[in-house]
């Protein structure tokens, strides 16, 4: 997957992983998440409860709109009132959804009701709610237009976690400190990105 990479991300730094399709970007994220065992090398990550993964297609469990925001439910998050959750929805651009569903307890098949962009915005709401130490994003804004992506990444940067992103859009470079470009044959290039947000 990668040969000879020695990389340390300090708290709050942001890494963008790029490369052609099939170069191993998503596989690398799966190794970081522990879903695929590493064939060699060493990884040191925060504890699992301090990591949040935002995939391209967010998981939407059965339940209410409230459940979608709180997933995976944390004991302290369940005490939040609907007013706080509505404010969170407004922050990530879901005010229209909050208006469409004034009762956050309403249950729907959310994976069919919500557009891809709304689902990705829910992922960012979960991020703001949980405040993880490390966020791993696998094209988590690909269904959004550029202004929405910029607004959500701005919220991510302001929240201050360490970030590892996979993405194709050049616009994402503005929100990262480093770019790791994979070539698909184990080779890579690591370079700083000047003047990140």
């Amino acid at each position: 997957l990668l040969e000879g990479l020695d990389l340390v991300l300090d708290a709050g730094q942001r890494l963008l992983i790029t490369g052609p399709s099939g170069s191993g970007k998503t596989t690398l994220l799966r190794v970081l998440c522990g879903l695929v065992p590493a064939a060699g090398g060493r990884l040191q990550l925060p504890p699992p409860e301090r990591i949040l993964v935002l995939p391209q297609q967010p998981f939407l469990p059965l339940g209410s709109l409230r459940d979608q925001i709180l997933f995976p439910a944390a004991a302290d998050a369940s005490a939040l009132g609907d007013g706080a959750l509505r404010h969170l929805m407004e922050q990530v651009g879901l005010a229209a959804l909050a208006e469409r569903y004034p009762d956050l307890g309403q249950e729907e098949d959310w994976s069919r009701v919500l557009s891809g962009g709304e689902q990705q915005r829910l992922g960012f709401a979960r991020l703001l709610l949980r405040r993880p130490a490390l966020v791993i994003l696998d094209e988590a804004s690909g269904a959004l237009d550029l202004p929405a992506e910029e607004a959500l990444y701005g919220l991510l940067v302001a929240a201050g976690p360490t970030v590892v992103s996979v993405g194709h859009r050049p616009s994402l470079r503005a929100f990262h400190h480093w770019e790791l470009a994979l070539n698909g044959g184990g080779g890579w290039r690591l370079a700083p990105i000047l003047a990140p947000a």
Side-chain angles (χ1 to χ4, degrees):
L1 184 61
L2 287 174
E3 295 178 1
L5 177 65
D6 186 3
L7 172 64
V8 175
L9 285 180
D10 292 327
Q13 286 193 316
R14 299 179 298 278
L15 172 72
L16 176 63
I17 302 171
T18 61
S21 182
S23 61
K25 301 180 300 291
T26 297
T27 302
L28 177 57
L29 293 189
R30 289 178 179 157
V31 170
L32 289 176
C33 295
L35 300 174
V36 174
R42 184 173 67 90
L43 292 171
Q44 184 176 352
L45 300 166
E49 65 272 10
R50 299 286 292 136
I51 300 173
L52 182 67
V53 179
L54 295 184
Q56 187 173 16
Q57 180 76 35
F59 176 71
L60 301 178
L62 296 176
S64 68
L65 184 53
R66 183 183 302 106
D67 295 334
Q68 306 314 308
I69 300 167
L70 296 177
F71 178 84
D76 55 344
S78 62
L80 284 176
D82 283 1
L85 295 180
R86 286 181 189 288
H87 177 69
L88 190 61
M89 291 174 73
E90 289 171 12
Q91 281 185 287
V92 299
L94 290 173
L97 180 64
E99 288 176 16
R100 266 192 344 248
Y101 294 95
D103 177 8
L104 297 184
Q106 184 168 337
E107 296 190 10
E108 297 282 350
D109 183 352
W110 298 106
S111 62
R112 293 179 189 231
V113 170
L114 301 179
S115 70
E118 287 172 324
Q119 292 182 38
Q120 289 187 339
R121 288 174 187 273
L122 267 177
F124 278 85
R126 293 171 181 172
L127 182 158
L128 294 176
L129 181 64
R130 296 185 62 80
R131 300 253 179 219
L134 172 64
V135 180
I136 299 173
L137 302 100
D138 189 2
E139 300 195 47
S141 60
L144 299 166
D145 59 31
L146 291 177
E149 177 183 80
E150 182 178 336
L152 291 173
Y153 263 87
L155 291 170
L156 171 64
V157 168
T162 303
V163 174
V164 176
S165 298
V166 163
H168 293 287
R169 291 179 174 170
S171 56
L172 291 175
R173 292 174 52 84
F175 300 100
H176 294 84
H177 298 107
W178 297 93
E179 180 179 6
L180 175 63
L182 309 184
N183 69 15
W188 50 272
R189 179 183 52 82
L190 180 66
I193 299 172
L194 299 178

mmCIF file of all heavy atoms in Angstrom, residues 35 39-40 43 53 90 99 101 103 106-107 114 129 132 143-145 147-148 156 161 168 172 182:
data_model
loop_
_atom_site.group_PDB
_atom_site.id
_atom_site.type_symbol
_atom_site.label_atom_id
_atom_site.label_comp_id
_atom_site.label_asym_id
_atom_site.label_seq_id
_atom_site.Cartn_x
_atom_site.Cartn_y
_atom_site.Cartn_z
ATOM 1 N N LEU A 35 -10.252 -1.540 10.007
ATOM 2 C CA LEU A 35 -11.138 -2.423 9.256
ATOM 3 C C LEU A 35 -10.365 -3.396 8.381
ATOM 4 O O LEU A 35 -10.873 -4.453 8.015
ATOM 5 C CB LEU A 35 -12.097 -1.599 8.376
ATOM 6 C CG LEU A 35 -13.013 -0.641 9.132
ATOM 7 C CD1 LEU A 35 -13.805 0.218 8.153
ATOM 8 C CD2 LEU A 35 -13.954 -1.431 10.036
ATOM 9 N N ALA A 39 -0.328 -4.904 6.883
ATOM 10 C CA ALA A 39 0.611 -5.999 6.622
ATOM 11 C C ALA A 39 1.931 -5.764 7.349
ATOM 12 O O ALA A 39 2.675 -6.706 7.609
ATOM 13 C CB ALA A 39 0.851 -6.125 5.121
ATOM 14 N N GLY A 40 2.208 -4.534 7.706
ATOM 15 C CA GLY A 40 3.441 -4.205 8.409
ATOM 16 C C GLY A 40 3.389 -2.758 8.839
ATOM 17 O O GLY A 40 2.428 -2.040 8.546
ATOM 18 N N LEU A 43 1.123 1.919 13.600
ATOM 19 C CA LEU A 43 0.186 3.040 13.665
ATOM 20 C C LEU A 43 -0.048 3.403 15.115
ATOM 21 O O LEU A 43 -0.196 2.519 15.960
ATOM 22 C CB LEU A 43 -1.170 2.654 13.068
ATOM 23 C CG LEU A 43 -1.242 2.404 11.584
ATOM 24 C CD1 LEU A 43 -2.595 1.825 11.223
ATOM 25 C CD2 LEU A 43 -1.003 3.694 10.821
ATOM 26 N N VAL A 53 -15.354 8.814 11.961
ATOM 27 C CA VAL A 53 -15.185 8.578 10.533
ATOM 28 C C VAL A 53 -16.411 9.118 9.806
ATOM 29 O O VAL A 53 -17.545 8.788 10.165
ATOM 30 C CB VAL A 53 -15.008 7.071 10.241
ATOM 31 C CG1 VAL A 53 -14.857 6.831 8.745
ATOM 32 C CG2 VAL A 53 -13.818 6.512 11.002
ATOM 33 N N GLU A 90 -28.926 24.076 11.815
ATOM 34 C CA GLU A 90 -28.777 25.358 11.109
ATOM 35 C C GLU A 90 -27.315 25.618 10.764
ATOM 36 O O GLU A 90 -27.002 26.087 9.669
ATOM 37 C CB GLU A 90 -29.327 26.492 11.961
ATOM 38 C CG GLU A 90 -30.836 26.482 12.082
ATOM 39 C CD GLU A 90 -31.361 27.484 13.096
ATOM 40 O OE1 GLU A 90 -30.581 28.355 13.546
ATOM 41 O OE2 GLU A 90 -32.549 27.382 13.449
ATOM 42 N N GLU A 99 -37.239 22.634 9.448
ATOM 43 C CA GLU A 99 -38.575 23.195 9.226
ATOM 44 C C GLU A 99 -39.533 22.136 8.673
ATOM 45 O O GLU A 99 -40.704 22.109 9.032
ATOM 46 C CB GLU A 99 -38.488 24.381 8.257
ATOM 47 C CG GLU A 99 -37.851 25.609 8.866
ATOM 48 C CD GLU A 99 -37.686 26.739 7.858
ATOM 49 O OE1 GLU A 99 -38.326 26.690 6.780
ATOM 50 O OE2 GLU A 99 -36.912 27.659 8.147
ATOM 51 N N TYR A 101 -39.462 19.010 9.270
ATOM 52 C CA TYR A 101 -39.743 18.034 10.333
ATOM 53 C C TYR A 101 -39.670 18.741 11.682
ATOM 54 O O TYR A 101 -38.664 18.641 12.387
ATOM 55 C CB TYR A 101 -38.748 16.870 10.270
ATOM 56 C CG TYR A 101 -38.901 16.058 9.018
ATOM 57 C CD1 TYR A 101 -38.111 16.314 7.900
ATOM 58 C CD2 TYR A 101 -39.854 15.051 8.935
ATOM 59 C CE1 TYR A 101 -38.265 15.580 6.736
ATOM 60 C CE2 TYR A 101 -40.018 14.311 7.768
ATOM 61 C CZ TYR A 101 -39.219 14.579 6.685
ATOM 62 O OH TYR A 101 -39.390 13.858 5.527
ATOM 63 N N ASP A 103 -40.997 18.022 14.396
ATOM 64 C CA ASP A 103 -40.854 17.041 15.470
ATOM 65 C C ASP A 103 -39.619 16.196 15.181
ATOM 66 O O ASP A 103 -39.635 15.338 14.293
ATOM 67 C CB ASP A 103 -42.111 16.158 15.529
ATOM 68 C CG ASP A 103 -41.994 15.056 16.580
ATOM 69 O OD1 ASP A 103 -41.019 15.065 17.370
ATOM 70 O OD2 ASP A 103 -42.884 14.183 16.602
ATOM 71 N N GLN A 106 -39.792 12.360 14.851
ATOM 72 C CA GLN A 106 -40.453 11.662 13.745
ATOM 73 C C GLN A 106 -39.503 10.649 13.115
ATOM 74 O O GLN A 106 -38.333 10.924 12.897
ATOM 75 C CB GLN A 106 -40.916 12.660 12.688
ATOM 76 C CG GLN A 106 -41.687 11.996 11.567
ATOM 77 C CD GLN A 106 -42.392 13.002 10.679
ATOM 78 O OE1 GLN A 106 -42.665 14.117 11.102
ATOM 79 N NE2 GLN A 106 -42.680 12.594 9.451
ATOM 80 N N GLU A 107 -40.041 9.466 12.816
ATOM 81 C CA GLU A 107 -39.245 8.394 12.221
ATOM 82 C C GLU A 107 -39.580 8.257 10.749
ATOM 83 O O GLU A 107 -40.733 8.328 10.351
ATOM 84 C CB GLU A 107 -39.488 7.075 12.959
ATOM 85 C CG GLU A 107 -39.024 7.137 14.406
ATOM 86 C CD GLU A 107 -39.025 5.780 15.093
ATOM 87 O OE1 GLU A 107 -39.194 4.751 14.410
ATOM 88 O OE2 GLU A 107 -38.846 5.764 16.316
ATOM 89 N N LEU A 114 -33.629 11.625 2.659
ATOM 90 C CA LEU A 114 -32.619 12.685 2.584
ATOM 91 C C LEU A 114 -31.763 12.561 1.332
ATOM 92 O O LEU A 114 -31.381 11.459 0.934
ATOM 93 C CB LEU A 114 -31.714 12.629 3.820
ATOM 94 C CG LEU A 114 -32.405 12.789 5.172
ATOM 95 C CD1 LEU A 114 -31.378 12.689 6.287
ATOM 96 C CD2 LEU A 114 -33.175 14.098 5.246
ATOM 97 N N LEU A 129 -21.009 17.829 17.120
ATOM 98 C CA LEU A 129 -21.584 17.394 18.383
ATOM 99 C C LEU A 129 -20.580 16.597 19.211
ATOM 100 O O LEU A 129 -20.441 16.803 20.412
ATOM 101 C CB LEU A 129 -22.838 16.555 18.118
ATOM 102 C CG LEU A 129 -23.592 16.039 19.337
ATOM 103 C CD1 LEU A 129 -24.152 17.197 20.141
ATOM 104 C CD2 LEU A 129 -24.715 15.114 18.885
ATOM 105 N N PRO A 132 -14.455 15.069 18.193
ATOM 106 C CA PRO A 132 -13.419 14.036 18.288
ATOM 107 C C PRO A 132 -12.011 14.625 18.201
ATOM 108 O O PRO A 132 -11.823 15.758 17.743
ATOM 109 C CB PRO A 132 -13.706 13.146 17.075
ATOM 110 C CG PRO A 132 -14.316 14.094 16.086
ATOM 111 C CD PRO A 132 -15.124 15.066 16.899
ATOM 112 N N ALA A 143 -20.921 15.149 -2.337
ATOM 113 C CA ALA A 143 -22.283 15.386 -2.832
ATOM 114 C C ALA A 143 -22.708 16.840 -2.671
ATOM 115 O O ALA A 143 -23.835 17.192 -3.008
ATOM 116 C CB ALA A 143 -23.274 14.475 -2.096
ATOM 117 N N LEU A 144 -21.812 17.676 -2.165
ATOM 118 C CA LEU A 144 -22.141 19.078 -1.887
ATOM 119 C C LEU A 144 -21.558 19.998 -2.949
ATOM 120 O O LEU A 144 -20.525 19.682 -3.556
ATOM 121 C CB LEU A 144 -21.579 19.480 -0.523
ATOM 122 C CG LEU A 144 -22.111 18.688 0.673
ATOM 123 C CD1 LEU A 144 -21.244 18.924 1.886
ATOM 124 C CD2 LEU A 144 -23.555 19.077 0.947
ATOM 125 N N ASP A 145 -22.194 21.150 -3.141
ATOM 126 C CA ASP A 145 -21.599 22.138 -4.035
ATOM 127 C C ASP A 145 -20.422 22.804 -3.313
ATOM 128 O O ASP A 145 -20.230 22.634 -2.100
ATOM 129 C CB ASP A 145 -22.638 23.158 -4.509
ATOM 130 C CG ASP A 145 -23.303 23.929 -3.375
ATOM 131 O OD1 ASP A 145 -22.668 24.157 -2.328
ATOM 132 O OD2 ASP A 145 -24.470 24.321 -3.536
ATOM 133 N N PRO A 147 -19.642 25.984 -2.418
ATOM 134 C CA PRO A 147 -19.867 26.867 -1.263
ATOM 135 C C PRO A 147 -20.257 26.099 0.006
ATOM 136 O O PRO A 147 -19.809 26.443 1.104
ATOM 137 C CB PRO A 147 -20.998 27.789 -1.731
ATOM 138 C CG PRO A 147 -20.907 27.788 -3.225
ATOM 139 C CD PRO A 147 -20.447 26.407 -3.587
ATOM 140 N N ALA A 148 -21.068 25.041 -0.139
ATOM 141 C CA ALA A 148 -21.452 24.244 1.029
ATOM 142 C C ALA A 148 -20.244 23.499 1.588
ATOM 143 O O ALA A 148 -20.051 23.438 2.809
ATOM 144 C CB ALA A 148 -22.562 23.262 0.658
ATOM 145 N N LEU A 156 -15.279 22.562 10.368
ATOM 146 C CA LEU A 156 -14.342 21.514 10.782
ATOM 147 C C LEU A 156 -13.033 22.126 11.273
ATOM 148 O O LEU A 156 -12.529 21.772 12.341
ATOM 149 C CB LEU A 156 -14.089 20.569 9.604
ATOM 150 C CG LEU A 156 -12.980 19.534 9.751
ATOM 151 C CD1 LEU A 156 -13.303 18.545 10.858
ATOM 152 C CD2 LEU A 156 -12.754 18.803 8.435
ATOM 153 N N PRO A 161 -10.001 19.548 15.291
ATOM 154 C CA PRO A 161 -9.451 18.200 15.422
ATOM 155 C C PRO A 161 -8.314 17.966 14.433
ATOM 156 O O PRO A 161 -8.117 18.742 13.491
ATOM 157 C CB PRO A 161 -10.645 17.306 15.064
ATOM 158 C CG PRO A 161 -11.388 18.109 14.042
ATOM 159 C CD PRO A 161 -11.263 19.543 14.533
ATOM 160 N N HIS A 168 -10.883 14.519 -4.055
ATOM 161 C CA HIS A 168 -10.379 14.791 -5.404
ATOM 162 C C HIS A 168 -10.408 16.272 -5.746
ATOM 163 O O HIS A 168 -9.647 16.718 -6.584
ATOM 164 C CB HIS A 168 -11.215 14.028 -6.437
ATOM 165 C CG HIS A 168 -11.050 12.550 -6.355
ATOM 166 N ND1 HIS A 168 -9.914 11.902 -6.770
ATOM 167 C CD2 HIS A 168 -11.869 11.588 -5.892
ATOM 168 C CE1 HIS A 168 -10.037 10.606 -6.577
ATOM 169 N NE2 HIS A 168 -11.222 10.387 -6.038
ATOM 170 N N LEU A 172 -10.280 21.438 -1.769
ATOM 171 C CA LEU A 172 -10.002 20.911 -0.430
ATOM 172 C C LEU A 172 -8.602 21.274 0.064
ATOM 173 O O LEU A 172 -8.354 21.280 1.267
ATOM 174 C CB LEU A 172 -10.177 19.394 -0.401
ATOM 175 C CG LEU A 172 -11.598 18.871 -0.558
ATOM 176 C CD1 LEU A 172 -11.608 17.348 -0.628
ATOM 177 C CD2 LEU A 172 -12.470 19.359 0.589
ATOM 178 N N LEU A 182 -0.752 9.547 -3.471
ATOM 179 C CA LEU A 182 -0.420 8.136 -3.702
ATOM 180 C C LEU A 182 -0.366 7.861 -5.195
ATOM 181 O O LEU A 182 -1.144 8.419 -5.967
ATOM 182 C CB LEU A 182 -1.475 7.226 -3.061
ATOM 183 C CG LEU A 182 -1.830 7.483 -1.590
ATOM 184 C CD1 LEU A 182 -2.809 6.409 -1.112
ATOM 185 C CD2 LEU A 182 -0.593 7.504 -0.727
#
